[in-house]
Amino acid sequence: MKMKKSNKISTFVLSTLFLCIFTACQPEYSVLPPVPEQKPITDANQMVIYECNERLFAETETFKAIEAYIPTLVDMGVNVLWLMPIHPIGADSKAVGSPYCVKDYTAINPAFGTMDDLKHLVNTAHEHQMRVMLDWIANHTSWDNRWVTAHPDWYQPAQTADEKQWADVTFLNYDMQVVCDTMQACMLYWVNEAGIDGFRCDYAQGVPLPFWKSTISAIRAKKSDALMLAETSDVAHYDAGFDLLYSWSYMYAVEGLYSGSGTFGSLLSAHTSEYNSTPEDKDRMRYVTTHDESATAGPGTFYHSPQGELSAFCLTAFLSGMPMIYSSQELGNMNAINFFNYNIMDFKAENDTRTALKQLMKVYHETAHLRGGSRITGSLNTKVHYIEYSDEQETMIVICNTSGKKQDVKLPMKHQGHEMSDLLTGAPVSLETIITLAPYEYKIYKH
């Protein structure tokens, strides 16, 4: 697999701080100094990941319900399907119902379906040019996993701090080669038997890097373009072979921006810090919520409305990285979701949020050539921010209102009076000096 760096900027912290201070002192229509970036012109990332929480789709025959949703995911621009843990979960006295408490690494939760159902799902995804990743929990098992009694020496002899925090699981001992070999064999089982295209590796830093390096090499010997995502911000995992790491700092920054506790400057600082440590041939997964975040604080906590979350996702997707959509995000869900439990939602009915998301991601894919060009980021006031891309022939500007109030802002002078295309509607538009944005509205123009 060849992945192209979407956007690695070299912004300046002092410039960002100046931008934030300057914002607070300016009148309503002031245009703030932009932050330019020069980089090679090439097609940018076009990968879109969908984190699928099976417990939102159906209580039985879940794989079939998810398979039926694949055409809709394609319309949303998704080309990577990440299935949250599919294994049977622990059911002993310490178990709390977590899908990250694995009882058997080579079995399927019977409520989800059979191996044939999974294969059919994977094959349907492949027919739609979509890859499938499994969520993999390598560092701990449930207490009623058969290894606990059959191979007690495979486990750490004393409770770790993590084990005290997560009492429903017990931690494996990777100092033993047999543990490394067995876990690797379990991962390869799904590649060989079900055609899985890669793994999202839970709590990746809880497993030694040599294991990941050996195992990723073994997986790529079977599937050269296997996609490997590590749930960590530790950049050493890139050297172990992972393609993608998490972007926790960015997520907290975008939450802060939309909740009013942060600034665009702090978001750019988080973005720059993450990409300054990201190698050219690697990338970051970017998101505005995840199953973990949504479990403790629903999207409404930060984004206030489905339109607010759409605005945050627009800013996130067009800034950089590989965007991830968490299932229920496209439904406009604003509530917390306990992913231990079933919370069946109506994914069949069309809704305004998903329609808007489809439209947004269509533009995302169609503008990859521009997103690979030079970039400028800036602010039109303290609430409205923009990202501008250009190559030798075209220019695109993405403008996001990050507030729940209407904003009147003055466009950068070079765009005033230009005949442009509104990429979200397809309509031609002549840009005025001042434009009005509804609460959390975003605009994408091109000329």
Side-chain angles (χ1 to χ4, degrees):
M1 180 196 66
K2 182 173 175 61
M3 294 189 302
K4 297 179 180 178
K5 171 68 60 192
S6 41
N7 300 304
K8 185 173 183 177
I9 60 176
S10 178
T11 32
F12 312 96
V13 174
L14 290 177
S15 298
T16 301
L17 292 173
F18 173 75
L19 185 153
C20 300
I21 295 169
F22 192 84
T23 303
C25 302
Q26 294 305 299
E28 184 178 9
Y29 298 131
S30 63
V31 178
L32 303 181
V35 179
E37 172 207 356
Q38 296 297 325
K39 55 187 173 58
I41 295 174
T42 180
D43 279 1
N45 164 61
Q46 297 187 64
M47 190 177 295
V48 179
I49 300 170
Y50 184 82
E51 180 186 5
C52 182
N53 180 346
E54 297 93 345
R55 288 165 176 79
L56 302 182
F57 281 84
E59 293 193 31
T60 60
E61 298 188 323
T62 311
F63 289 149
K64 292 180 180 179
I66 295 168
E67 182 179 345
Y69 195 55
I70 284 178
T72 302
L73 292 178
V74 172
D75 288 343
M76 286 164 50
V78 172
N79 44 34
V80 178
L81 176 61
W82 155 18
L83 296 174
M84 286 178 64
I86 66 170
H87 310 297
I89 65 175
D92 65 299
S93 60
K94 294 185 179 181
V96 294
S98 170
Y100 291 87
C101 179
V102 179
K103 185 175 181 178
D104 189 339
Y105 285 103
T106 56
I108 292 171
N109 184 331
F112 294 171
T114 65
M115 175 63 91
D116 285 342
D117 293 331
L118 176 62
K119 289 180 180 178
H120 205 277
L121 165 61
V122 172
N123 288 338
T124 299
H126 288 170
E127 289 169 3
H128 287 82
Q129 290 74 55
M130 185 181 296
R131 290 192 280 180
V132 180
M133 289 193 303
L134 290 190
D135 214 326
W136 198 261
I137 306 90
N139 60 302
H140 57 254
T141 76
S142 69
W143 287 93
D144 56 353
N145 187 299
R146 65 180 181 274
W147 295 351
V148 173
T149 53
H151 306 287
D153 55 324
W154 288 12
Y155 290 84
Q156 296 183 17
Q159 278 204 337
T160 64
D162 287 335
E163 194 167 330
K164 292 176 183 177
Q165 181 179 357
W166 298 301
D168 60 320
V169 295
T170 180
F171 283 64
L172 289 161
N173 181 4
Y174 277 86
D175 289 336
M176 299 191 66
Q177 188 60 43
V178 65
V179 171
C180 300
D181 294 343
T182 304
M183 186 61 69
Q184 183 178 120
C186 289
M187 296 180 77
L188 288 170
Y189 170 82
W190 295 101
V191 175
N192 294 329
E193 297 299 319
I196 293 302
D197 302 295
F199 297 89
R200 177 267 183 188
C201 297
D202 183 72
Y203 188 40
Q205 73 270 27
V207 176
L209 288 170
F211 167 80
W212 290 127
K213 188 171 185 178
S214 171
T215 297
I216 292 172
S217 293
I219 290 170
R220 292 215 169 103
K222 297 288 185 179
K223 184 160 291 196
S224 61
D225 64 345
L227 180 62
M228 300 298 296
L229 163 63
E231 189 206 13
T232 184
S233 296
D234 181 357
V235 296
H237 288 75
Y238 286 130
D239 293 333
F242 283 99
D243 304 296
L244 299 170
L245 302 188
Y246 265 54
S247 289
W248 290 116
S249 295
Y250 177 87
M251 185 196 72
Y252 296 137
V254 78
E255 287 178 343
L257 178 62
Y258 278 79
S259 65
S261 63
T263 65
F264 189 54
S266 60
L267 181 141
L268 289 180
S269 292
H271 167 73
T272 304
S273 177
E274 288 185 343
Y275 269 95
N276 279 348
S277 61
T278 302
E280 286 294 333
D281 60 340
K282 306 291 185 177
D283 218 322
R284 297 274 180 166
M285 184 178 74
R286 284 281 169 85
Y287 40 87
V288 297
T289 192
T290 68
H291 68 272
D292 280 318
E293 187 71 356
S294 183
T296 56
T301 305
F302 309 102
Y303 309 116
H304 309 295
S305 69
Q307 184 61 38
E309 189 173 34
L310 279 168
S311 175
F313 188 73
C314 175
L315 184 64
T316 298
F318 281 88
L319 182 59
S320 197
M322 299 192 178
M324 184 273 282
I325 301 165
Y326 176 47
S327 48
S328 78
Q329 186 176 327
E330 74 271 32
L331 305 183
N333 172 68
M334 290 289 103
N335 300 317
I337 298 173
N338 183 343
F339 60 88
F340 289 17
N341 302 327
Y342 282 95
N343 294 278
I344 306 304
M345 297 186 179
D346 183 5
F347 285 90
K348 294 180 180 178
E350 194 57 44
N351 65 84
D352 291 343
T353 301
R354 187 163 56 205
T355 298
L357 188 59
K358 288 179 181 179
Q359 187 180 46
L360 181 62
M361 300 317 290
K362 180 175 184 290
V363 174
Y364 176 83
H365 284 291
E366 290 175 347
T367 58
H369 64 291
L370 272 171
R371 291 186 289 106
S374 62
R375 179 176 62 198
I376 294 172
T377 55
S379 298
L380 304 180
N381 66 17
T382 57
K383 302 297 182 183
V384 179
H385 314 289
Y386 70 90
I387 309 163
E388 178 185 314
Y389 290 99
S390 59
D391 61 15
E392 294 94 338
Q393 297 178 321
E394 297 177 307
T395 294
M396 172 177 72
I397 183 168
V398 181
I399 306 170
C400 295
N401 180 2
T402 66
S403 78
K405 295 183 179 179
K406 177 175 74 72
Q407 300 287 331
D408 297 316
V409 292
K410 181 185 288 185
L411 291 175
M413 186 174 295
K414 63 182 177 180
H415 296 304
Q416 296 173 18
H418 264 291
E419 298 296 324
M420 302 187 80
S421 297
D422 184 329
L423 295 185
L424 294 169
T425 66
V429 60
S430 179
L431 293 185
E432 303 291 339
T433 300
I434 295 170
I435 65 169
T436 298
L437 296 168
Y440 298 119
E441 186 177 12
Y442 49 88
K443 296 283 190 180
I444 305 177
Y445 299 118
K446 185 183 78 169
H447 70 80

